[in-house]
Amino acid sequence: MPRVSGEAVRAELAWAAQGPAYVAALAWRPDGAWLAAGDDDGGVALFDGVSGPWGEALGHDGGTLCLDWSARGVLASGGRDGTVVLGGTRCDAQRGWVERVAWRPDGARLAVAQGRRVTFRDESGYPVDVSGDLPATVSCLAWHPRGVLCAAGTYGGVRMLRGNGAVGVDHLAWTGSVLELAFSPDGRYLAHGNQDSSVHFWDMRKRSELEMTGYATKVRQLAWSPDRRWLATGGGADAICWDFARRGGPRGSRPARLERHEGRITALAFQPEGGLLASIGEDGVVALWRVGEDDLPLGGVALDEPLSVLAWAPDGRRLAVGGAHGGVAMVDVDADG
Amino acid sequence: MTTTEAKDGLVPVTVLTGFLGAGKTTLLNRILTEHHGQRIAVIENEFGELGIDNELVIGADEEVFEMNNGCICCTVRGDLIRILGSLMRRRDRFDHILVETTGMADPGPVIQTFFMDDEMQERLSLDGVVTLVDAKHVTQHIDDSHECQEQIAFADVIVLNKVDLASEAELDALEGRIRSMNRGARIHRATQADLPIDRVVGLQAFNLDRVLEMEPGLMEEDPDDHEHDESVTSVGIDLLGDLDSDRLDAWLSELLATRGPDIFRMKGVLSLADTDERFVFQGVHMLFDGRPDRPWAPDEERRNRLVFIGRNLDRDALEGGFRACLV
C-alpha cells in the first residue's frame, strides 16, 4: 500500500483458519487468551488467540448471529434457533431470532434482543427482566459505559432500558430505522447509524441532537476512538470520521474521509490502546489508519474473501477478522514498524 | 433505482398478495411442490388455513419503515430487509424467495424495499407481484378497501381464483373491472390456484426488457372507462411523434414530485427527438428507471406508448401534459 508519512505499521498474517460459512460475529475473552467466532451454519468456533483453532462451543441451529464475552469471561451467543447459550448452558427457546447479545460492562447482566423484546439475564441465565414488546423489532443494543442503562435501537428511535424491572426510562424519538448504536467512551454522546443513509448523534448532557446525512448506503459501522475524539463511520467505501475535539462538536465541520477500499466497508474498530483505526471491507482488505494525521493507510493486509467482522485483541497487538466465506484470520499489528 | 436488469447471480423474489382466503397458501404450496429440488425460502406474514410444507418458512411481523422525510414513496419493509439481508449470507444460496403478505398489506413498501435498500438491490431481483383475488368474495372489498385496490393496482399478474363459485357473467364483469384498474397486469382464471406455475414465477416483470411485452390492448380506450367512478384506474397514452427530452424531464419530475404517492406504477416506450433508440422506462411511485433500448427500425412508426396505474388519475391532465412535451 502506498504511504506518504514516515510512520509505518507492520501488519502480518499470523494464522488463518477455514470455517464452514459466513462469519457473523467475533469476540475476544477480555484476557485475550481466547477468540470465539459465530458462523451462519450455526457453529461457534473457539480459537487460541496465539495458535489458532482449538474447538467448538454449543451453537445455534440455522445460524449463529451474535456473540459477546463478559468482563468476567462468560461467553454468550444467540442465533436463529431463538436460544441464548450462556457459559455453556442453553436457555430455553423463545420465538424469533436472537439478533444481539450484549453484556453490561460489569458482566453481571446480559441484554438479549429477540424480536420486539429485550430480555435481561443474570450470569446464570435467569431472566431478571423483560422489556415487554417495543413498537418495532430491536435491531441493536449498546450499554452505557457506566453500565446503568441499555440503549435499544428500533424503528422510531432509541429506548433506554434499565434491565432491573423498572420501566423504560427514556425514549429518544427519531423518525427512521436505527441499525447500529454506539456510546462514546465517556457516555456523553450516543451515535446511531441508520437505514436512510445517515448518522444521528445525541448529546446526552445537553439533550441536543445532530444529524449527518449524505452517506452512500445505510450505515451499520460505528467506532469511537478510546479518547472520544473521533467517531469513525462506514456507510460506503470510505470511512468518514467526525471530529469531536472541536468546540461545538462536529456541527458544520468537514469530516476526515479515508479512502482505500474498493467496495463497501463492513466493519470499523479502534485499537484499544495506540489509536489506530482498523477498517475491513467487501474487497477483502484490512487497512490500518491514524485518523486526523494521515489520509492513507499506514499498513494492512489483503485477504481473498469479502470480510464481514473484526475484533481487536484487548492488548491491541492482534486483530482478528472473519469473512463471508468462512475464513477466520489473525493479523499481528506492530505500530513501531 | 439504478437498474432492474436481470444480472447473473441475483436471486428472484416473488411477492404474493391477496386477502386472507383468496388462496395464497394454496398457490404457495403448488409452487413449492412443482419446484421441489430447488431451494426456496418463504417469508410469511400471516398463518393461513393450510400449513406450508417447506424446510425454510420464516414468520415475520410486517414493519413498514418511513424515512425521515415522511414521504410515502420512501417507505420500505424493515422486516424484509432484516430477514433477506441475513438470508443472503448463506453459503448454499436460495434459488427463489417467496414473500407472502397479509391481506391488509400495502404492496408499495414491499416493492420499494427491493429498489431502495442497497443490499437488496445488489443481491435480489424482484420477479413480480402476484395478486390472488377471490372471484366470489372480492366484490365485498373492491369498492371500499384501499388495500384490495392497491393489491390489484400493483400487480403484474392477477389470479382470479375460485372461479367455480362465480357465474360467467360475474367473472366477465369482475375482469372488466379489474382491467380498468390495472391494464398492465395479466389476468388468469383458476379454481384452486391451479394454473401453470410459469405464469406466476419467472416473470421478470421489473426488467426493462420486458416492458414491451405489455398486454395487447393496453392503450386502448375502454368504452366503460368512465362508467364507474373508481378511484384506482389505469391511464394509457399512445401518441405519435417525438418528445423534447428537457420538457419531458421537467414534466415527469414535477408529476412524480406532486403526484408520486398516487402513481403506483408506470411503464412505457418513448420516442425521444434526436435519438435513434427507443427509450424504455418503468417506475414505482417516485422511483424511476429508464434507459435507451434498441434503435427504431427504418419502417417503424415512432410512437410513444405508456401507462399509468394509480389513484385519482386525471386522464386529460396526464395526456395534455404529455402532449405538451412533443416537439
Side-chain angles (χ1 to χ4, degrees):
Chain A
M1 282 180 201
R3 285 188 301 104
V4 288
S5 79
E7 187 187 12
V9 173
R10 205 172 64 213
E12 280 175 5
L13 200 60
W15 53 259
Q18 186 58 48
Y22 183 100
V23 183
L26 279 177
W28 285 92
R29 199 167 78 172
D31 64 3
W34 299 100
L35 174 75
D39 67 59
D40 202 72
D41 262 9
V44 174
L46 297 174
F47 300 87
D48 180 307
V50 177
S51 57
W54 185 83
E56 288 275 332
L58 283 178
H60 299 272
D61 279 349
T64 303
L65 298 175
C66 52
L67 288 173
D68 196 21
W69 223 314
S70 81
R72 305 181 194 181
V74 178
L75 178 65
S77 63
R80 296 201 185 104
D81 61 353
T83 72
V84 172
V85 172
L86 206 152
T89 305
R90 191 181 302 280
C91 304
D92 48 326
Q94 291 175 31
R95 187 176 174 268
W97 294 354
V98 174
E99 301 207 43
R100 298 291 178 110
V101 287
W103 284 103
R104 203 166 73 183
D106 66 1
R109 284 284 180 285
L110 180 74
V112 177
Q114 188 166 18
R116 297 182 175 197
R117 293 180 170 202
V118 181
T119 306
F120 295 89
R121 295 181 182 273
D122 68 14
E123 236 180 329
S124 71
Y126 179 78
V128 179
D129 188 23
V130 185
S131 68
D133 278 347
L134 298 179
T137 298
V138 179
S139 51
C140 47
L141 295 171
W143 283 95
H144 188 278
R146 282 198 294 277
V148 183
L149 293 172
C150 180
T154 67
Y155 170 67
V158 181
R159 297 276 168 169
M160 296 294 185
L161 307 168
R162 283 197 187 277
N164 61 359
V167 288
V169 288
D170 208 351
H171 177 209
L172 304 178
W174 182 79
T175 307
S177 176
V178 176
L179 302 178
E180 190 58 78
L181 281 167
F183 276 105
S184 63
D186 60 356
R188 172 156 175 195
Y189 296 100
L190 176 63
H192 53 83
N194 308 312
Q195 175 73 33
D196 66 357
S197 307
S198 70
V199 173
H200 197 88
F201 308 115
W202 300 87
D203 183 329
M204 307 300 281
R205 202 166 72 200
K206 292 186 182 161
R207 306 299 293 187
S208 62
E209 48 188 304
L210 182 58
E211 188 156 302
M212 304 304 190
T213 57
Y215 286 87
T217 68
K218 58 187 164 186
V219 185
R220 281 191 301 202
Q221 307 79 25
L222 299 172
W224 286 93
S225 61
D227 63 2
R228 198 265 262 164
R229 169 156 182 195
W230 296 100
L231 174 70
T233 60
D238 303 333
I240 309 293
C241 302
W242 300 99
D243 187 352
F244 281 72
R246 301 168 74 253
R247 269 181 79 86
R251 188 181 296 273
S253 71
R254 285 182 74 84
R257 176 181 283 267
L258 308 180
E259 301 176 40
R260 165 63 180 86
H261 290 281
E262 292 165 15
R264 279 190 292 249
I265 286 179
T266 49
L268 292 164
F270 276 93
Q271 202 177 16
E273 288 173 35
L276 286 174
L277 172 69
S279 63
I280 58 169
E282 289 177 336
D283 57 0
V285 167
V286 182
L288 296 160
W289 314 81
R290 205 167 288 287
V291 183
E293 291 176 23
D294 212 325
D295 288 343
L296 290 166
L298 304 177
V301 294
L303 299 167
D304 58 5
E305 68 180 272
L307 297 176
S308 50
V309 278
L310 90 166
W312 283 98
D315 67 2
R317 300 181 68 82
R318 281 165 297 162
L319 182 65
V321 295
H325 304 158
V328 175
M330 189 65 66
V331 180
D332 280 337
V333 178
D334 184 354
D336 302 324
Chain B
M1 199 184 323
T2 53
T3 177
T4 52
E5 287 180 71
K7 286 178 237 154
D8 281 343
L10 297 193
V11 180
V13 181
T14 297
V15 176
L16 280 181
T17 75
F19 273 41
L20 188 66
K24 283 175 293 180
T25 310
T26 312
L27 181 60
L28 237 157
N29 275 326
R30 281 181 42 76
I31 296 171
L32 294 174
T33 308
E34 297 211 4
H35 285 247
H36 69 268
Q38 284 198 15
R39 286 178 53 78
I40 300 179
V42 179
I43 298 176
E44 246 201 331
N45 287 129
E46 68 189 357
F47 293 97
E49 64 275 39
L50 297 170
I52 292 179
D53 177 25
N54 187 46
E55 60 173 296
L56 195 72
V57 179
I58 299 158
D61 292 333
E62 293 183 341
E63 292 190 339
V64 178
F65 286 1
E66 277 176 34
M67 299 299 167
N68 215 351
N69 60 18
C71 169
I72 183 184
C73 307
C74 302
T75 54
V76 294
R77 281 279 296 275
D79 53 322
L80 296 179
I81 293 177
R82 195 173 53 251
I83 291 166
L84 292 173
S86 187
L87 290 182
M88 286 300 102
R89 300 168 171 180
R90 294 185 85 101
R91 181 184 40 145
D92 38 355
R93 305 231 318 188
F94 292 102
D95 301 307
H96 205 107
I97 292 170
L98 298 170
V99 176
E100 180 188 354
T101 72
T102 68
M104 299 312 287
D106 175 359
V110 181
I111 296 170
Q112 286 166 177
T113 299
F114 298 96
F115 300 105
M116 298 276 298
D117 183 87
D118 45 285
E119 276 181 319
M120 300 297 106
Q121 210 181 348
E122 220 167 78
R123 292 173 189 170
L124 305 171
S125 86
L126 183 55
D127 186 57
V129 179
V130 177
T131 297
L132 274 105
V133 170
D134 178 329
K136 180 74 178 171
H137 296 105
V138 72
T139 45
Q140 296 167 8
H141 311 293
I142 201 163
D143 289 314
D144 47 15
S145 159
H146 273 212
E147 290 82 8
C148 178
Q149 293 169 356
E150 282 164 11
Q151 286 167 9
I152 289 170
F154 275 105
D156 297 294
V157 167
I158 294 167
V159 179
L160 283 186
N161 198 25
K162 307 190 180 181
V163 292
D164 53 328
L165 300 179
S167 71
E168 196 64 25
E170 284 173 319
L171 291 173
D172 288 344
L174 178 59
E175 201 168 312
R177 178 73 201 280
I178 287 173
R179 189 156 300 290
S180 76
M181 295 165 76
N182 181 346
R183 290 165 173 237
R186 288 170 194 269
I187 301 176
H188 301 294
R189 295 185 181 187
T191 305
Q192 295 212 336
D194 50 348
L195 71 167
I197 296 305
D198 61 8
R199 298 207 179 149
V200 290
V201 295
L203 304 174
Q204 295 185 42
F206 289 82
N207 184 333
L208 283 176
D209 294 333
R210 296 292 185 97
V211 164
L212 303 174
E213 298 173 22
M214 293 186 287
E215 278 290 274
L218 185 66
M219 306 305 163
E220 286 164 22
E221 188 78 15
D222 185 337
D224 295 339
D225 210 20
H226 306 288
E227 194 174 294
H228 326 276
D229 182 29
E230 292 140 348
S231 60
V232 174
T233 53
S234 293
V235 171
I237 297 176
D238 188 351
L239 286 175
L240 284 170
D242 293 342
L243 294 158
D244 180 288
S245 319
D246 293 340
R247 266 185 277 158
L248 177 71
D249 225 35
W251 176 68
L252 262 181
S253 307
E254 167 71 13
L255 180 70
L256 294 184
T258 54
R259 305 295 316 282
D262 277 346
I263 296 173
F264 300 152
R265 290 186 68 172
M266 57 177 181
K267 43 186 157 183
V269 185
L270 305 176
S271 168
L272 302 182
D274 310 318
T275 312
D276 296 332
E277 290 93 23
R278 312 191 302 178
F279 187 84
V280 293
F281 75 94
Q282 65 105 1
V284 177
H285 281 317
M286 277 157 77
L287 300 169
F288 181 88
D289 185 17
R291 65 164 160 75
D293 183 49
R294 68 160 172 83
W296 291 95
D299 57 345
E300 195 175 4
E301 219 171 19
R302 288 182 66 141
R303 57 196 312 141
N304 303 282
R305 301 164 67 228
L306 61 163
V307 62
F308 295 93
I309 300 164
R311 197 182 289 290
N312 308 315
L313 298 183
D314 181 339
R315 171 181 288 279
D316 295 338
L318 285 171
E319 195 166 333
F322 185 76
R323 196 181 284 278
C325 301
L326 288 169
V327 290

